[in-house]
Amino acid sequence: AAERLAHSWGVHAVRVSSPRPGRVVLTATMRDPLITVDRLPSSPDLLKVTVGRLETGHPWIIDFRTVPHWLNAGATQSGKSNLANALLVGLAPQPVALVGIDLKGGVELTPYAPRLSALATCRSEAGRLLDDLVALMTDRMGLCRQASARDIWQLPPAIRPVPIVLLVDELAELYLMADKSEKDEIARTSTALLRVAQLGRAFGIYLFCCGQRIGSDLGPGVTALRAQCSGRICHRVNDPETATMTLGDLDPAALASARAIPAETPGVAIVAGQDGQWYRARSFHISEQVAEHAAHTYAHLTPSWEEITAHLPEPVTA
């Protein structure tokens, strides 16, 4: 029906939505606002970054305080990495700790190392980093309990721990198993990442997980993680399973729209909004050089991982 209306009215698109029971909204756009997207200033609020524009014409904002964990799927040259660049540029000047997991030898995230408090480039390093994050959560639980606070944001600023954003590049690498000897290590890593996703929001630890392929064939850990990531972003993908894993539990129309993203529109994605709706969106073009410059410019704001974890007990080894 929306397509017939768009054709008869001579407009670009008509969107039908139902924001609440008993209310239907028709939104018509005369032209596609995502053909060109000029960069907008980012939000001054902590953990809130303007990364592009929605099809409504409004800014596309990623707000970790509202939506704490995100899945960002997309094929090569789809705009997935560009979005991560936009996020890093927006977070770099903020008083947050950025940490990364890049199991492709660090080739994607190493250029941004000056602004990263920690970077894991192999599975064993990823396991240790995730163990640290779980230990930090446990420590922050105790701090909140002592102060009768439900989360770190109810703590006095003087004792509030620094918020942490974990950037994961190529999520599938955490779950791929070359031989059976890696099974236990993968299970431990998967469990630690899932625990961060389950409890991290209240204790200021947030996830932004990127991947070319995110499928149920990677194991139950991926499906469980997906359930904890309420933020969903799907660029053009090479396989239907990745689109289904990212958006399949939302509106079927969102999944159909993701599968229809053309190759000649890099940066265009389907986004599950914090209002419960989904939108077409497009990120600003942020080159690797611009993101690397931001990492160097704000390197002095990088908290030391040793200082963040200094008060944690030493891990017990068998």
Side-chain angles (χ1 to χ4, degrees):
E3 292 179 357
R4 290 196 298 271
L5 285 171
H7 179 74
S8 62
W9 292 351
V11 299
H12 167 68
V14 175
R15 175 79 176 270
V16 182
S17 60
S18 180
R20 63 176 183 267
R23 182 180 178 89
V24 176
V25 177
L26 293 178
T27 304
T29 53
M30 300 303 295
R31 64 178 185 86
D32 188 354
L34 305 184
I35 293 176
T36 57
V37 177
D38 296 325
R39 189 172 174 183
L40 299 171
S42 201
S43 170
D45 297 335
L46 183 64
L47 292 166
K48 185 182 290 188
V49 179
T50 302
V51 295
R53 192 180 295 277
L54 301 175
E55 62 182 337
T56 60
H58 295 130
W60 174 11
I61 296 173
I62 291 180
D63 181 1
F64 287 100
R65 294 281 301 276
T66 303
V67 181
H69 307 313
W70 291 82
L71 280 181
N72 172 33
T76 301
Q77 301 298 317
S78 67
K80 168 177 59 69
S81 297
N82 179 79
L83 175 59
N85 288 344
L87 185 67
L88 185 139
V89 168
L91 290 174
Q94 298 190 23
V96 302
L98 304 177
V99 296
I101 295 177
D102 179 3
L103 299 193
K104 292 189 295 184
V107 295
E108 294 292 336
L109 295 182
T110 295
Y112 313 138
R115 188 57 185 87
L116 300 178
S117 297
L119 174 61
T121 60
C122 65
R123 186 172 285 127
S124 60
E125 291 177 354
R128 289 193 293 272
L129 176 57
L130 288 167
D131 286 344
D132 282 349
L133 291 173
V134 171
L136 282 169
M137 282 198 314
T138 302
D139 182 73
R140 293 178 179 193
M141 285 181 200
L143 184 63
C144 289
R145 186 166 55 247
Q146 291 175 5
S148 298
R150 293 182 179 272
D151 56 47
I152 67 166
W153 305 107
Q154 293 182 358
L155 295 172
I159 64 171
R160 183 183 301 148
V162 61
I164 300 169
V165 179
L166 170 60
L167 309 172
V168 181
D169 186 81
E170 204 48 65
L171 183 66
E173 292 292 329
L174 280 172
Y175 298 90
L176 291 176
M177 181 167 49
D179 55 64
K180 292 184 178 179
S181 65
E182 297 179 324
K183 184 177 180 179
D184 290 343
E185 187 177 26
I186 290 173
R188 287 194 299 270
T189 302
S190 174
T191 300
L193 182 60
L194 180 59
R195 185 163 174 77
V196 171
Q198 289 173 329
L199 301 175
R201 175 177 188 163
F203 307 111
I205 301 176
Y206 309 99
L207 302 178
F208 192 80
C209 301
C210 304
Q212 291 189 46
R213 187 174 69 85
I214 305 172
S216 58
D217 60 306
L218 294 173
V222 174
T223 304
L225 179 67
R226 187 275 298 266
Q228 298 297 325
C229 293
S230 53
R232 311 287 180 80
I233 303 165
C234 189
H235 295 81
R236 177 182 56 82
V237 295
N238 290 327
D239 62 294
E241 171 68 11
T242 295
T244 301
M245 177 62 77
T246 310
L247 299 172
D249 56 342
L250 303 177
D251 188 329
L255 183 58
S257 295
R259 291 175 173 172
I261 296 174
E264 61 269 18
T265 58
V268 171
I270 302 301
V271 183
Q274 59 196 48
D275 58 359
Q277 302 293 316
W278 64 270
Y279 303 91
R280 287 175 66 244
R282 193 169 195 171
S283 56
F284 307 132
H285 175 64
I286 303 293
S287 67
E288 295 174 358
Q289 291 76 19
V290 169
E292 188 172 349
H293 177 72
H296 284 272
T297 299
Y298 298 103
H300 64 285
L301 298 179
T302 306
S304 164
W305 194 243
E306 288 73 18
E307 293 179 359
I308 292 174
T309 59
H311 61 288
L312 296 178
E314 290 293 327
V316 177
T317 57

